[in-house]
Amino acid sequence: MARVRPKALLIDLTRCVGCRECVSACLIEHHLPTDPDSVDRLSAGALTALAEKDGIYVRQMCRHCLEPSCVSVCPVEAFQKTPAGPVVYDASRCMGCRYCMQACPFGVPTYEWDKAVPAVVKCDFCAERQARGEPTACAEACPFEATTFGDREEMIAEAHRRIAESPDAYHPHVYGERELGGTSMLFLSPVPFEQLDFPAFGDQPLPELTARALEKIPGILSIGGAMLAGIWWITHRREEVARAEAAERSALRQEKHDDHA
Ligand code: SF4
Ligand code: SF4
Ligand code: SF4
């Protein structure tokens, strides 16, 4: 059987003009009604965002880590890493514990707080398009090849080729090639990445972060933790968890009201 060649996006900040075509294409692809001009951070209504810092435009989205913490902490395998690169999410498995949000080192997953039965939301690396042999919607839409899609190995080679050809134009580092064991989103920048608030990570994956996130579970589940755990074991259904949380919040509000009465 042919080996699956993992894919990646190469995002070259020296080429990005902030036109937001990538944001618009992503919103259309995922049927999200958000105004693309308003998207400067990730939310349940936007899987990619564009922020500007010192005249440099920086895209944000899930990095599709090669060794993703979100996958390792999810107790019900709602998150899965696919061989082609996308880290995908199955809302029908999700119990709503939000460990993934705590564990992600890039602060990516968001939550549909305003929905009765919320789900986790994040970029899916256009997994369905990739399965059809198509590039991601954002890469296809970018008029300046600031976002390009291809085999990860080729994207890394292309990034180093650009640095070698124009050393004055680039900070000599491909962010995502090795950080945390590597990611599917690779960045080139004209300035050191710290100046753009990219986290400074080592090359090691983060099993220790996973462990820390798990240690936080009692904190995460401070509202009715025992009740939630029981429901998870019995049903594995986030609908039940959402209802239990709502009931608990309501009880707490009533308690506070009674205290003040
Ligand atoms: S960036 Fe966060 S949500 Fe995306 S794969 Fe990595 S750990 Fe998971
Ligand atoms: S890869 Fe797909 S889901 Fe992710 S930002 Fe690009 S268009 Fe959006
Ligand atoms: S479409 Fe390309 S140039 Fe326009 S904002 Fe997105 S990455 Fe930058």
Side-chain angles (χ1 to χ4, degrees):
M1 203 163 64
R3 184 173 75 92
V4 177
R5 294 167 67 91
K7 302 298 187 214
L9 289 182
L10 175 57
I11 300 170
D12 187 336
L13 305 185
T14 71
R15 297 186 179 195
C16 180
V17 299
C19 67
R20 294 185 174 271
E21 291 295 326
C22 51
V23 177
S24 295
C26 181
L27 291 168
I28 291 167
E29 179 72 23
H30 295 86
H31 313 290
L32 294 166
T34 309
D35 173 7
D37 289 334
S38 71
V39 179
D40 58 3
R41 68 184 61 184
L42 300 177
S43 70
L47 312 186
T48 186
L50 192 71
E52 185 257 331
K53 178 130 196 222
D54 300 333
I56 299 170
Y57 294 97
V58 182
R59 291 195 58 195
Q60 299 161 16
M61 77 278 265
C62 173
R63 308 298 178 91
H64 297 275
C65 306
L66 303 193
E67 302 202 36
S69 308
C70 56
V71 172
S72 63
V73 296
C74 182
V76 289
E77 297 183 352
F79 274 88
Q80 298 214 351
K81 176 75 179 170
T82 61
V87 173
V88 294
Y89 166 74
D90 180 349
S92 70
R93 284 175 171 256
C94 177
M95 66 171 184
C97 65
R98 305 186 289 281
Y99 300 172
C100 52
M101 294 172 69
Q102 294 286 322
C104 174
F106 297 102
V108 166
T110 55
Y111 202 56
E112 296 174 317
W113 294 104
D114 58 339
K115 293 210 173 156
V117 182
V120 172
V121 179
K122 73 170 195 69
C123 156
D124 62 358
F125 204 179
C126 289
E128 286 183 14
R129 289 176 62 98
Q130 287 201 45
R132 298 194 297 265
E134 296 171 13
T136 64
C138 54
E140 188 174 78
C142 181
F144 301 98
E145 296 190 339
T147 295
T148 46
F149 172 84
D151 289 351
R152 187 171 185 273
E153 284 174 18
E154 287 172 16
M155 292 291 98
I156 289 171
E158 170 65 13
H160 285 290
R161 189 187 63 74
R162 289 184 199 176
I163 292 172
E165 273 185 5
S166 308
D168 294 340
Y170 291 101
H171 174 64
H173 181 72
V174 182
Y175 190 99
E177 180 179 0
R178 282 191 289 271
E179 275 79 7
L180 301 178
T183 66
S184 308
M185 302 296 156
L186 305 164
F187 290 83
L188 284 173
S189 166
V191 299
F193 285 97
E194 310 86 80
Q195 286 183 30
L196 301 173
D197 300 328
F198 280 59
F201 291 126
D203 296 354
Q204 295 301 310
L206 284 177
E208 59 271 36
L209 178 71
T210 301
R212 280 209 298 280
L214 288 170
E215 280 166 15
K216 285 185 188 168
I217 287 172
I220 297 166
L221 299 183
S222 57
I223 300 174
M227 190 193 308
L228 290 178
I231 288 168
W232 174 61
W233 284 111
I234 295 163
T235 67
H236 290 199
R237 290 175 66 83
R238 78 185 186 292
E239 290 90 342
E240 298 297 328
V241 174
R243 273 198 287 276
E245 282 189 323
E248 189 70 20
R249 277 197 297 272
S250 168
L252 282 172
R253 272 200 301 275
Q254 185 62 45
E255 240 172 64
K256 275 190 192 155
H257 179 265
D258 292 348
D259 287 349
H260 286 101

